[in-house]
Amino acid sequence: MKPGRVLDGGRRFMVLCFSFIIFLCILASINEIRFDSVLRFSQYALSHHLSAKISSEQNLAVPSSSLSDIRVLIGILTLPDHYHKRHFLRLIYGTQSVVGARVDVKFVFCNLTKEDQKVLVALEIMRYDDIIILNCPENMNKGKTYTYFSSLPEMMLNNSDSNAPYPPYHYVMKGDDDAYFRLQSLVDSLKPLPREDLYYGYVIPCPSMDPFVHYMSGMGYLVSWDIVEWLKNSDIPKKHLEGPEDKIFGEWLRDGHRGKNRYNAKWSMYNYPEPPTRCTHELWPDTIAVHLLKTQEKWIRTLNYFNVTRDLKPSKLYHIP
């Protein structure tokens, strides 16, 4: 190509650019829009297009819950006939919002034995999908806790969804149905902790502060997913199933040299203040769990203390003083 033609092409390009700028200025003056607003609009349109493209690409690869979020399963061990208690606890946990984690609360019991259970529990599952039924006879200290933990890998990992994260949960907790867990406080306490070989809870006996000497109270203890898988595969728990479930759980970990990372959540976990014992203290803001809420009065006092209805929006449909 000749040099003259290159110069002519450059001049034509410059003239076109200059003409386009003049056109924009005229358009802006006609519509009383500043020229820099036009530029900002074009920049916004471009950035919006790029953001939408990036977001679309991310949505293809990342599930609705961020992979960096903590995933926690809380299994509340209860009985099939405790319908009213489950509905009450659904209110307690369903109205708690959690940031930075996905916390699933499920109710755990053994095989159904009555015709009414088969109908009513089936309806609960259809409506709420928050029940785990274990293949065991109903019991407290004859292996129910072991069946709960050891059944989870097969339940959770026998999944055709290839995009499902692994592990399905970073932590699995066993909780009592007379305990109130403040989910955000629980999550915040877990954030700095290891996600492997973790054993977390309230150390028993009550005066003890050393989680490596004794074991965690049955009000609610938590382990990392690798320990759940170990419980499924190890012969140690199978040889010792009967006894106080929290105590023998601690013995399994001791005998299997597991739970090298331990966290004592005392005194953020404690028994209800009345009657006073060495395991109780007054309700206070720095609380993860309150145990032994055996009556409606104790539940109401606890819920009032933590002001659980503060987010209730005003409406003409109701008046609550």
Side-chain angles (χ1 to χ4, degrees), residues 6 41 46 61 70 102 111 173 192 199 204 218 225 231 246 264:
V6 173
F41 175 78
L46 178 60
I70 297 173
R102 190 188 95 199
N111 290 323
M173 173 174 266
Y199 181 33
I204 291 291
W225 183 259
L231 288 167
D246 48 4
N264 179 18

Side-chain angles (χ1 to χ4, degrees), residues 16-272:
L16 287 172
C17 290
F18 185 70
S19 300
F20 181 67
I21 292 172
I22 292 174
F23 170 74
L24 289 177
C25 290
I26 294 171
L27 183 64
S29 63
I30 291 173
N31 293 280
E32 296 183 351
I33 301 174
R34 291 179 55 189
F35 180 61
D36 60 351
S37 298
V38 177
L39 291 179
R40 282 198 299 272
F41 175 78
S42 63
Q43 291 170 351
Y44 166 78
L46 178 60
S47 64
H48 179 72
H49 171 73
L50 292 175
S51 298
K53 182 178 180 182
I54 292 171
S55 176
S56 175
E57 291 173 350
Q58 289 176 336
N59 287 337
L60 292 175
V62 180
S64 57
S65 169
S66 171
L67 292 176
S68 63
D69 287 350
I70 297 173
R71 297 185 294 278
V72 184
L73 172 63
I74 302 177
I76 306 295
L77 270 61
T78 185
L79 298 173
D81 288 333
H82 287 184
Y83 302 106
H84 295 297
K85 181 169 286 188
R86 285 196 293 279
H87 291 319
F88 175 71
L89 292 175
R90 286 186 182 108
L91 290 176
I92 301 302
Y93 297 117
T95 52
Q96 294 190 50
S97 59
V98 181
V99 177
R102 190 188 95 199
V103 180
D104 293 337
V105 178
K106 295 191 180 290
F107 301 99
V108 182
F109 41 82
C110 292
N111 290 323
L112 306 181
T113 57
K114 304 175 184 176
E115 288 304 314
D116 62 327
Q117 293 173 354
K118 296 174 184 178
V119 174
L120 296 176
V121 172
L123 287 172
E124 285 187 87
I125 294 172
M126 292 168 64
R127 175 63 181 86
Y128 301 107
D129 192 25
D130 61 359
I131 288 176
I132 296 175
I133 302 178
L134 305 173
N135 185 19
C136 58
E138 193 58 61
N139 69 91
M140 179 181 294
N141 293 317
K142 294 186 178 181
K144 181 177 179 178
T145 297
Y146 169 74
T147 305
Y148 163 56
F149 281 101
S150 63
S151 298
L152 290 176
E154 185 174 355
M155 289 179 178
M156 303 296 177
L157 299 178
N158 188 15
N159 193 327
S160 59
D161 184 4
S162 59
N163 293 322
Y166 179 85
Y169 295 99
H170 298 109
Y171 305 109
V172 175
M173 173 174 266
K174 174 264 169 185
D176 283 350
D177 62 4
D178 63 347
Y180 169 54
F181 296 97
R182 302 180 70 223
L183 302 183
Q184 188 65 58
S185 297
L186 172 66
V187 167
D188 291 342
S189 71
L190 291 172
K191 286 179 180 178
L193 301 183
R195 294 189 179 181
E196 291 185 354
D197 209 20
L198 178 70
Y199 181 33
Y200 169 114
Y202 175 100
V203 176
I204 291 291
C206 298
S208 175
M209 295 298 289
D210 189 346
F212 291 93
V213 174
H214 300 288
Y215 59 94
M216 305 299 186
S217 164
M219 75 165 81
Y221 51 85
L222 172 148
V223 293
S224 50
W225 183 259
D226 57 303
I227 292 182
V228 173
E229 292 188 326
W230 173 80
L231 288 167
K232 177 184 182 297
N233 297 316
S234 174
D235 289 331
I236 291 174
K238 299 172 186 175
K239 297 176 182 178
H240 183 25
L241 292 177
E242 295 192 15
E245 56 90 16
D246 48 4
K247 184 174 185 292
I248 64 170
F249 191 96
E251 292 173 356
W252 296 339
L253 299 190
R254 180 199 64 202
D255 295 344
H257 304 288
R258 302 306 301 251
K260 294 179 182 177
N261 298 310
R262 302 197 175 195
Y263 182 82
N264 179 18
K266 193 181 291 183
W267 287 97
S268 292
M269 299 174 72
Y270 51 92
N271 288 347
Y272 186 81

Side-chain angles (χ1 to χ4, degrees), residues 290-308:
V290 183
H291 187 219
L292 295 184
L293 299 176
K294 298 291 188 182
T295 66
Q296 187 83 348
E297 180 184 357
K298 292 180 178 181
W299 271 105
I300 296 305
R301 180 185 165 191
T302 301
L303 297 174
N304 272 334
Y305 177 84
F306 293 108
N307 195 17
V308 298

